[in-house]
């Protein structure tokens, strides 16, 4: 195989399945902390973290060393054959940081989608009911069951129908979904959203048929929209009223991304089932489904499993991640850098040169978004602006990349999302913010 950068890209374009999209047609060769390098010689600041995975930066030495050491002892210990030590050590690390002490029964798998699949299976067994209610704008994965509850973009399910039956959706408290202005009050958004949820339970899926309500406490692919605490508390109340399970998807928000180990901690709401993945093992394939033992004891042995589920190398990496979080005070860094990031973005929003193009700055911790106006939003949308150029978010992200910053868009709206490493330095964050601001100004000047 040819080894030049161009030939390698051409080889990949020819032989990698077309269903996979890419931010850049390039070959990544190395990751170091907040930076990645490519075969063509470029070195870039990474504000994507592999979509919120390398929360401790690329190739954190302690995490990589833990995985390498484990490779010399035991690489594969199939979960249906025996326990493995890193699996049990990881549970020891996770138990004290669970958002509620009732969460004490753990099952490790490989990906976020698989975690959602397991959570759906569990909810049906625990309740004897079939239906699941998920949120408009929610993203939960692209496997069959996860794809059915994903409501962020039609591209994830287009052409794959019929999907898993028994899925209903309800609006998330996001101003777009009600045609309200961006400054709509939380109280109004919560009131409308809970009202619509109650209607779903009266008109589409009766409580006695509803196994679970599934929610991301911060919409990920749906636009980086934090749920108001009152909404989460209201959903919990409805679940308790009707004996419906609450599944909290912390695949992207979990492990420090929003400033606490799990975003649901801000609300004090108790999940019945919680999923996590992404930052859990800092790049090694690992996900987790946690629930209450009195519920999981209802599962038949053999109903859960998977060839690589709870792989000891990935679990050893995750143990090291948990240690690094404590010893390097990662959550303190998230708090400090979050204030700086939001201050920088709000300053840009207040700049008269570009402010009219920015409709919202939002987020929590280091899960932050900037939303632009668009000429292509549906008629009546408050962020519709026929006088601006199309695809501002995509153009800004592309310009950032030209200037040495990897950054992603998200959702059906014009949203750029910031997902830098949680241990990013003040200097690297400042540099990224400067690149973003310059890119926004250039794109808007160009019209």
């Amino acid at each position: 195989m040819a080894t030049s950068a161009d030939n390698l890209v051409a080889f990949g374009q020819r032989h990698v399945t077309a269903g996979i999209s890419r931010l850049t047609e390039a070959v990544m060769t190395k990751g170091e902390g907040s930076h990645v390098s490519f075969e063509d010689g470029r070195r870039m600041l990474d504000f994507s973290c592999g979509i919120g995975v390398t929360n401790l930066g690329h190739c954190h030495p302690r995490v990589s060393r833990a995985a390498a050491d484990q490779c010399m002892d035991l690489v594969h210990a199939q979960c249906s054959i025996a326990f493995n030590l890193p699996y049990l050590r990881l549970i020891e690390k996770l138990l004290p940081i669970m958002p509620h002490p009732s969460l004490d029964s753990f099952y490790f798998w490989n990906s976020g989608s698989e975690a959602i699949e397991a959570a759906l299976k569990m909810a049906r067994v625990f309740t004897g009911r079939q239906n699941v209610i998920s949120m408009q704008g929610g993203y939960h994965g692209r496997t069959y069951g996860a794809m059915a509850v994903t409501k962020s973009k039609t591209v994830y399910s287009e052409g794959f129908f019929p999907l898993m039956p028994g899925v209903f959706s309800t609006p998330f408290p996001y101003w777009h979904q009600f045609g309200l202005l961006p400054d709509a009050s939380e109280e109004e958004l919560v009131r409308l959203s809970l009202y619509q949820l109650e209607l779903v339970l009266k008109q589409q899926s009766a409580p006695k048929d509803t196994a679970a309500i599934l929610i991301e406490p911060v919409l990920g692919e749906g636009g980086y929209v934090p749920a108001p605490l009152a909404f989460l508390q209201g959903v919990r109340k409805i679940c308790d009223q009707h004996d419906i399970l609450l599944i909290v998807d912390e695949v992207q928000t979990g492990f420090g991304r929003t400033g606490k180990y799990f975003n649901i901690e801000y609300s004090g709401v108790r999940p019945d089932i919680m999923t996590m993945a992404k930052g859990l093992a800092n790049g090694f394939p690992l996900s987790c489904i946690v629930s209450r033992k009195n519920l999981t004891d209802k599962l038949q042995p053999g109903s859960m499993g998977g060839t690589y589920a709870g792989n000891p190398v990935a679990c050893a990496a995750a143990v090291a991640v948990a240690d690094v979080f404590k010893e390097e005070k990662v959550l303190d860094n998230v708090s400090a850098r979050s204030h700086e990031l939001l201050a920088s973005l709000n300053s840009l929003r207040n700049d008269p040169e570009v402010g009219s193009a920015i409709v919202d700055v939002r987020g929590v911790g280091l899960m932050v978004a900037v939303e632009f106006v668009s000429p292509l939003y549906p008629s009546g949308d408050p962020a519709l602006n026929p006088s601006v150029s199309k695809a501002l978010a995509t153009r800004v992200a592309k310009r950032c990349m030209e200037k040495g910053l990897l950054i992603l868009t998200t959702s059906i709206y014009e949203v750029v999302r910031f997902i830098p490493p949680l241990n990013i330095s003040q200097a690297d964050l400042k540099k990224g913010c400067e690149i973003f601001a310059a890119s926004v100004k250039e794109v808007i000047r160009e019209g």
Side-chain angles (χ1 to χ4, degrees):
M1 184 171 71
T3 57
S4 74
D6 288 344
N7 286 342
L8 285 169
V9 169
F11 179 85
Q13 291 170 333
R14 189 162 58 248
H15 294 291
V16 174
T17 300
I20 300 172
S21 64
R22 284 173 294 278
L23 180 63
T24 178
E25 296 298 307
V27 179
M28 192 180 294
T29 56
K30 190 174 180 62
E32 301 172 280
S34 299
H35 294 82
V36 290
S37 299
F38 292 88
E39 184 73 19
D40 58 15
R42 288 179 298 164
R43 186 172 186 265
M44 302 180 72
L45 186 58
D46 183 12
F47 273 24
S48 75
C49 280
I51 314 187
V53 171
T54 55
N55 282 1
L56 297 178
H58 291 277
C59 300
H60 190 286
R62 289 187 59 183
V63 178
S64 294
R65 173 53 57 192
D69 289 346
Q70 181 61 39
C71 282
M72 301 309 295
D73 292 331
L74 184 67
V75 170
H76 178 64
Q78 211 284 325
C79 63
S80 299
I81 294 175
F83 293 119
N84 72 72
L85 189 58
Y87 193 116
L88 300 178
R89 291 283 180 251
L90 180 54
I91 293 175
E92 286 184 327
K93 299 290 185 181
L94 293 177
L95 274 169
I97 63 172
M98 286 297 99
H100 194 273
S102 65
L103 298 173
D104 61 355
S105 180
F106 296 80
Y107 167 45
F108 297 112
W109 219 345
N110 308 294
S111 69
S113 295
E114 288 171 309
I116 292 297
E117 299 280 350
L120 296 175
K121 288 171 63 176
M122 288 180 181
R124 287 178 167 179
V125 170
F126 297 164
T127 63
R129 305 169 182 175
Q130 175 174 321
N131 294 349
V132 175
I133 298 172
S134 63
M135 301 289 142
Q136 290 178 20
Y139 176 85
H140 305 285
R142 278 171 267 202
T143 53
Y144 188 68
M147 179 172 56
V149 293
T150 288
K151 305 296 180 184
S152 56
K153 290 180 183 177
T154 54
V155 68
Y156 299 129
S157 57
E158 184 179 357
F160 299 122
F161 284 80
L163 304 180
M164 182 184 76
V167 175
F168 301 85
S169 63
T170 189
F172 189 89
Y174 180 18
W175 49 271
H176 270 301
Q177 297 189 17
F178 294 100
L180 298 176
L181 294 172
D183 61 357
S185 70
E186 279 196 359
E187 291 79 6
E188 180 71 354
L189 289 169
V190 169
R191 184 188 68 80
L192 291 170
S193 298
L194 292 177
Y195 173 70
Q196 289 296 322
L197 175 56
E198 293 276 16
L199 282 184
V200 171
L201 290 168
K202 290 181 180 295
Q203 295 178 326
Q204 300 184 56
S205 179
K208 68 178 182 179
D209 294 323
T210 305
I213 296 174
L214 171 62
I215 188 168
E216 296 171 285
V218 180
L219 287 185
E221 294 289 329
Y224 274 38
V225 187
L229 305 188
F231 176 69
L232 296 171
Q233 292 160 356
V235 173
R236 176 74 265 179
K237 183 177 179 180
I238 290 171
C239 287
D240 290 340
Q241 180 182 350
H242 298 296
D243 294 322
I244 297 170
L245 298 180
L246 178 60
I247 303 174
V248 175
D249 180 346
E250 293 260 11
V251 166
Q252 187 165 174
T253 52
F255 250 73
R257 175 52 54 187
T258 66
K260 292 185 180 290
Y261 277 106
F262 302 99
N263 182 268
I264 201 68
E265 295 176 57
Y266 286 106
S267 68
V269 164
R270 170 184 57 83
D272 296 299
I273 303 172
M274 188 175 75
T275 61
M276 63 191 97
K278 289 191 180 287
L280 176 61
N282 209 56
F284 289 87
L286 188 67
S287 62
C288 177
I289 310 93
V290 59
S291 186
R292 304 194 300 274
K293 189 175 186 300
N294 69 311
L295 290 178
T296 59
D297 281 350
K298 297 179 181 181
L299 295 168
Q300 291 294 321
S303 62
M304 296 288 158
T307 299
Y308 302 105
N311 174 267
V313 177
C315 286
V319 170
V321 167
D323 289 338
V324 169
F325 259 81
K326 285 188 175 182
E327 294 168 23
E328 297 186 5
K329 298 184 177 3
V330 172
L331 295 182
D332 290 346
N333 193 70
V334 174
S335 177
R337 302 290 85 79
S338 177
H339 287 301
E340 294 163 1
L341 175 57
L342 287 167
S344 174
L345 297 178
N346 279 309
S347 175
L348 180 64
R349 184 183 185 183
N350 293 328
D351 186 326
E353 182 181 1
V354 300
S356 61
I358 296 175
V359 70
D360 203 7
V361 173
R362 57 178 177 259
V364 57
L366 289 176
M367 188 172 181
V368 172
V370 173
E371 182 174 342
F372 298 94
V373 294
S374 171
L376 300 179
Y377 284 164
S379 176
D381 190 291
L384 173 67
N385 186 337
S387 66
V388 301
S389 299
K390 295 187 294 185
L392 280 177
T394 299
R395 291 172 59 203
V396 166
K398 183 178 179 181
R399 186 61 52 86
C400 285
M401 193 159 52
E402 292 169 358
K403 294 177 178 292
L405 173 68
L406 280 179
I407 198 165
L408 298 167
T409 61
T410 190
S411 84
I412 62 170
Y413 302 107
E414 292 294 331
V415 178
V416 175
R417 53 177 158 168
F418 290 74
I419 335 173
L422 304 185
N423 56 356
I424 191 170
S425 68
Q426 186 177 34
D428 280 344
L429 183 71
K430 183 174 184 288
K431 178 181 177 182
C433 289
E434 289 171 348
I435 291 173
F436 179 76
S439 299
V440 170
K441 291 177 181 179
E442 288 179 12
V443 167
I444 289 175
R445 287 191 202 112
E446 291 166 4

